[in-house]
Amino acid sequence: MVGLGVVGTATASLLQRLGCEVAVQDISDEAVARCPGWCRPQPWSEPDFTFICTPESAVAAASEASAGTGLLVVRSTVVPGVVNGLASKLGRHVAAMPEFLRAAMAWWDVFNPNMVVIGQCCPEHGEALASLFSPLLAPVIKVDPDTAAMVKLCLNAYLTNQVSFWNEVSRVCRHLGVNSLTVGKVAAMDPRVSPYGASVHGLAPYGGTCLPKDLQQMLDLGHAVGEPCPLLNAVQQVNISMGGQ
């Protein structure tokens, strides 16, 4: 496990509970020292799987420094093209396995996922990852690495859109003396309306570690391919105006 932030520590704990021997690595000695006793503080030379759970900016360096010829699995949020690019550059198999963990609920979410998305480099390694996580009894979706990366970006962009909608509603409600949280809770009683953002909106839901950066990655990706994404630009501006970043 390379990278011991929220995602790395939660994933390491999950794999240990699934019966794996887990070695951990991080540039922070303090982060390594905080790991439980069952974690080995150094990587094996030939691990079966190496999970990259670093910030996006460190994925390439961490991948290049990873020892062994086992399957490299990028858990970090990256844009389409990164995983296949690493595979070509390193001359080894690289898969994508995006995480869908909520920052405050990571330990619950990692053991109780709604789905396991595998961006497989080949059917053999896709099946190996599916087998590894099969005890979770969650639906396993095997796609190509670019599709897996896009699923993660789109999901967080969609969630940001929901928060943005309710943040905009809250601004109108303030002028009217209406409690927007009550409005959201009642509206979410309609099954067509997701409770996400409806009952919890404001600065905190958007100002975490994931939504702003993932939305920016989506906007940068759109710009790179010549699609300006006007809706997502508006979503970003609404939340910036709330003080979300």
Side-chain angles (χ1 to χ4, degrees):
M1 192 66 55
V2 182
L4 295 174
V6 172
V7 175
T9 53
T11 304
S13 179
L14 168 65
L15 291 172
Q16 189 272 337
R17 297 286 183 89
L18 294 180
C20 301
E21 293 183 86
V22 181
V24 298
Q25 189 177 24
D26 195 282
I27 60 172
S28 168
D29 293 337
E30 183 179 341
V32 174
R34 287 198 301 266
C35 283
W38 47 260
C39 286
R40 291 180 49 161
Q42 287 133 19
W44 283 284
S45 59
E46 295 294 336
D48 294 322
F49 303 94
T50 299
F51 288 85
I52 303 297
C53 303
T54 65
E56 290 73 34
S57 59
V59 167
S63 299
E64 291 171 12
S66 295
T69 56
L71 180 63
L72 193 65
V73 185
V74 176
R75 207 68 169 129
S76 309
T77 302
V78 294
V79 298
V82 168
V83 170
N84 288 336
L86 284 172
S88 296
K89 182 177 182 179
L90 301 177
R92 62 186 294 191
H93 286 274
V94 185
M97 195 172 180
E99 48 79 21
F100 305 98
L101 309 180
R102 295 167 292 179
M105 298 287 289
W107 292 90
W108 168 265
D109 290 345
V110 79
F111 286 96
N112 301 275
N114 294 315
M115 58 188 175
V116 174
V117 177
I118 298 170
Q120 62 183 15
C121 49
C122 63
E124 179 184 352
H125 283 121
E127 188 55 40
L129 282 171
S131 178
L132 183 64
F133 288 87
S134 62
L136 297 176
L137 303 178
V140 175
I141 300 93
K142 289 182 282 188
V143 293
D144 61 88
D146 284 350
T147 299
M150 200 65 182
V151 167
K152 175 61 185 288
L153 288 179
C154 289
L155 177 60
N156 275 359
Y158 179 78
L159 295 176
T160 309
N161 188 31
Q162 290 181 273
V163 173
S164 180
F165 172 82
W166 286 105
N167 277 345
E168 199 159 85
V169 168
S170 73
R171 292 164 65 178
V172 176
C173 285
R174 279 202 302 270
H175 291 285
L176 302 172
V178 174
N179 188 320
S180 64
L181 295 176
T182 301
V183 173
K185 288 178 181 178
V186 175
M189 295 176 71
D190 186 316
R192 295 171 298 178
V193 178
S194 169
Y196 189 87
S199 57
V200 181
H201 47 269
L203 300 184
Y206 178 75
T209 58
C210 291
L211 296 187
K213 71 174 180 60
D214 290 354
L215 178 61
Q216 186 61 57
Q217 284 196 89
M218 187 71 170
L219 288 169
D220 291 344
L221 179 62
H223 178 74
V225 299
E227 294 293 341
C229 300
L231 174 61
L232 294 182
N233 270 292
V235 165
Q236 185 182 62
Q237 291 307 311
V238 167
N239 286 290
I240 288 175
S241 72
M242 294 288 292
Q245 93 175 15

